[in-house]
Amino acid sequence: MGMNRYVATLLSALLVLCAASAGTKPNIVVMLSDDLSWTLPGFNGGKIVPSPNLDRLAEEGMLLTQFYVQSVCSPTRASFLTGRYPFRTGVEERPHSNDIAGMLTDERTLADALTEAGYFTAIFGKWHLGNWQKKHLPMQRGFQYQYGHYSALIDFFSHEREGVMDWHRNEEPLQQEGYSTYLIADEVDHLLAQQDKSKPFFFYVPFNAVHGPFQAPEEVVSKYRHIDSAFLPEQFAQFECLDIAVGRVMASLEKHGFAENTLVVFFNDNGAGTRIGNGSYKGGKGNYYEGALRVPCIFRWPKHIAPNRRVDVPTHAIDLYPTLINAAGASLKQELPIDGLDLWQTITKGEGLDREEIVHCLDMAAQGKRKAYKGTLRHGDFKLVGDELYNIKQDPYESKNVANDHPEKVSAMKARLKALLLERRPAESHDPIPNYPPVIFGEVENRELMKKEARRN
């Protein structure tokens, strides 16, 4: 760790300790969208779908304009919750529906750290870091309260995936009618109403919007049926519903008296697919161009973060882990090293970071139907994607491959990726769930449901 990085981390920790001793330890709410296109939010220039709540969040807070995630959802979620790159956590690819694998169980999560610091921790929405074995589920990974689904691609109304039930409260099966985006916001309100104001809380709210299947209430979809676009009307409607849900969460914080002392973070897990695109940014979900990796990220905390600001510093989802732990006055002491950097001085003062690189992807060979990934690394202003090289500062839209102009840089970055391969930790085996499909995701829940069904018969 360089001296500048050490001093910045120490200063941030001291500032937070002073704040905590003065009784201002923040509540923390992190909202996550799923597959959101860069072009849709009004704060990014979107004009088709109204997004007053997200726009207000951006106006009242600070927007990071070079915030990076992973190319698909589960690796981003693991990065956020551990502060470590996916090649260390066993989550370089997504657990699929018929899959017993999950995030490596020795990883310490943000929920673990905040629970240790006296926070009440809850998750509302999509988990997607293991959907079968109990050891992988949220309440074994530091969360004291759980609501939502373990897997991905659930039907927004039936809450099933491929006919398998996937809706749970506190890791128990939950039969509930309603549109999942709205239900998630309603559950946040329900729990806030019961929250002890003397105890800080961490609410992680990963919506499944605007991921497929593309569904929304017909009264919202009908507004967009006349528009000729690469987007489906249902996708526009999903985004409007997401914005409504974000507004409901913010209104709940206000209604229950938590708005002023709650640090709110909103970000997206990866860019939209290439069919609808991400504006001028090249590529989309599943590849390693900017359209897949660069996403909106907003921080809002009244009286602590100046409003209506944009900061253009390269940052990554791994940075949220040390930033939020320090903001909470929690401990960063742990056995596994942290890749992320504390962003507090960047967020509050627009300062740069003592960082040379961002690791997007190591080389991954194809396995079965799973595709191969090209090693992708950003070093300073340059980004290597396989054999291609781009100067992101000069060419953020990756229109010109400059690999032939900088062969020495290409060689050095490839050598760095090769060295990082030696640090990779093996993932769990992606073995199928026995006797698939189950009645419900979650091995224990499924077993208990089957016992009840057997007794009835």
Side-chain angles (χ1 to χ4, degrees):
M1 179 183 291
M3 183 58 68
N4 290 341
R5 178 176 171 182
Y6 174 80
V7 171
T9 301
L10 180 61
L11 177 61
S12 178
L14 288 172
L15 289 172
V16 165
L17 284 172
C18 291
S21 66
T24 57
K25 181 179 287 192
N27 305 305
I28 299 170
V29 173
V30 177
M31 289 182 278
L32 182 61
S33 60
D34 198 336
D35 287 11
L36 179 63
S37 171
W38 182 272
T39 65
L40 282 177
F43 61 76
N44 271 348
K47 300 184 183 302
I48 295 176
V49 181
S51 54
N53 298 298
L54 284 168
D55 295 348
R56 179 183 174 188
L57 199 62
E59 290 169 3
E60 293 179 349
M62 185 279 313
L63 184 64
L64 289 170
T65 58
Q66 282 196 73
F67 183 80
Y68 291 98
V69 292
Q70 299 304 123
S71 176
V72 291
C73 52
S74 298
T76 293
R77 293 158 202 271
S79 295
F80 158 62
L81 284 172
T82 66
R84 287 161 47 81
Y85 287 121
F87 68 87
R88 305 191 197 281
T89 66
V91 193
E92 289 179 271
E93 60 177 296
R94 295 160 285 186
H96 297 272
S97 57
N98 188 5
D99 192 342
I100 69 168
M103 184 167 68
L104 296 177
T105 56
D106 61 346
E107 291 288 342
R108 182 191 190 221
T109 71
L110 180 58
D112 287 324
L114 295 181
T115 295
E116 293 166 11
Y119 275 66
F120 175 71
T121 58
I123 176 173
F124 310 79
K126 175 182 173 181
W127 174 240
H128 211 189
L129 291 171
N131 60 19
W132 186 244
Q133 299 184 76
K134 193 170 182 68
K135 65 183 181 179
H136 293 140
L137 300 182
M139 296 184 76
Q140 279 59 243
R141 308 314 301 261
F143 289 98
Q144 299 161 47
Y145 188 95
Q146 176 274 330
Y147 174 87
H149 55 115
Y150 304 150
S151 187
L153 283 166
I154 67 160
D155 185 289
F156 280 69
F157 294 98
S158 71
H159 317 135
E160 296 180 349
R161 178 178 185 177
E162 301 168 1
V164 180
M165 182 181 175
D166 195 8
W167 204 246
H168 322 255
R169 181 184 282 126
N170 290 332
E171 296 182 3
E172 295 285 343
L174 178 62
Q175 292 280 0
Q176 189 177 34
E177 294 184 356
Y179 184 62
S180 61
T181 303
Y182 293 161
L183 290 175
I184 290 167
D186 291 344
E187 190 76 5
V188 171
D189 181 71
H190 170 74
L191 205 57
L192 280 174
Q194 306 173 44
Q195 191 61 34
D196 179 358
K197 287 186 168 58
S198 67
K199 185 181 180 73
F201 59 83
F202 165 50
F203 282 8
Y204 173 37
V205 190
F207 292 100
N208 55 321
V210 294
H211 197 291
F214 304 125
Q215 300 169 314
E218 178 55 32
E219 64 269 19
V220 187
V221 177
S222 62
K223 298 179 184 180
Y224 302 102
R225 291 203 184 279
H226 67 287
I227 298 175
D228 183 13
S229 170
F231 288 89
L232 298 172
E234 290 81 2
Q235 289 174 289
F236 286 135
Q238 279 183 305
F239 178 59
E240 180 174 331
C241 294
L242 171 67
D243 186 77
I244 290 169
V246 168
R248 289 182 182 178
V249 171
M250 298 305 295
S252 295
L253 290 170
E254 187 73 41
K255 177 175 68 175
H256 298 297
F258 295 110
E260 288 301 303
N261 194 37
T262 297
L263 170 57
V264 175
V265 182
F266 172 88
F267 73 106
N268 183 39
D269 68 347
N270 50 253
T274 54
R275 184 183 67 82
I276 57 176
N278 297 280
S280 299
Y281 291 114
K282 183 176 180 178
K285 179 178 180 177
N287 60 48
Y288 286 87
Y289 298 109
E290 293 291 284
L293 304 172
R294 187 189 292 226
V295 299
C297 181
I298 303 168
F299 279 78
R300 176 195 182 272
W301 187 12
K303 300 179 182 178
H304 296 265
I305 297 173
N308 202 22
R309 293 173 57 245
R310 292 179 177 241
V311 175
D312 193 42
V313 172
T315 53
H316 191 279
I318 55 172
D319 300 330
L320 298 179
Y321 181 84
T323 303
L324 297 178
I325 286 177
N326 278 337
S331 173
L332 286 172
K333 288 184 178 180
Q334 59 184 65
E335 291 186 12
L336 298 172
I338 297 167
D339 294 312
L341 303 179
D342 190 326
L343 299 179
W344 197 248
Q345 298 302 310
T346 301
I347 295 165
T348 56
K349 298 182 180 179
E351 294 181 5
L353 291 171
D354 183 20
R355 161 182 277 144
E356 291 186 347
E357 68 180 21
I358 293 176
V359 183
H360 293 301
C361 179
L362 303 188
D363 289 293
M364 290 180 64
Q367 297 178 3
K369 293 183 179 179
R370 294 183 171 95
K371 61 185 178 181
Y373 295 110
K374 297 178 179 178
T376 305
L377 177 72
R378 177 160 174 176
H379 189 276
D381 296 334
F382 287 90
K383 178 180 164 190
L384 183 75
V385 185
D387 295 321
E388 303 167 16
L389 185 70
Y390 299 94
N391 186 321
I392 298 300
K393 184 174 182 179
Q394 296 177 2
D395 179 24
Y397 307 121
E398 296 166 304
S399 61
K400 183 181 179 182
N401 176 8
V402 296
N404 290 337
D405 300 331
H406 303 278
E408 73 295 336
K409 187 166 288 293
V410 171
S411 296
M413 293 173 78
K414 285 187 173 183
R416 173 59 177 159
L417 286 168
K418 187 174 181 180
L420 287 169
L421 280 170
L422 300 176
E423 300 179 18
R424 171 184 270 151
R425 298 213 298 161
E428 293 184 348
S429 178
H430 289 270
D431 295 328
I433 293 171
N435 302 312
Y436 190 86
V439 178
I440 188 170
F441 286 114
E443 182 177 21
V444 174
E445 292 168 60
N446 184 67
R447 184 168 61 239
E448 294 304 312
L449 272 182
M450 292 183 71
K451 285 181 181 177
K452 289 180 182 178
E453 185 64 26
R455 286 195 293 267
R456 280 196 293 267
N457 294 334

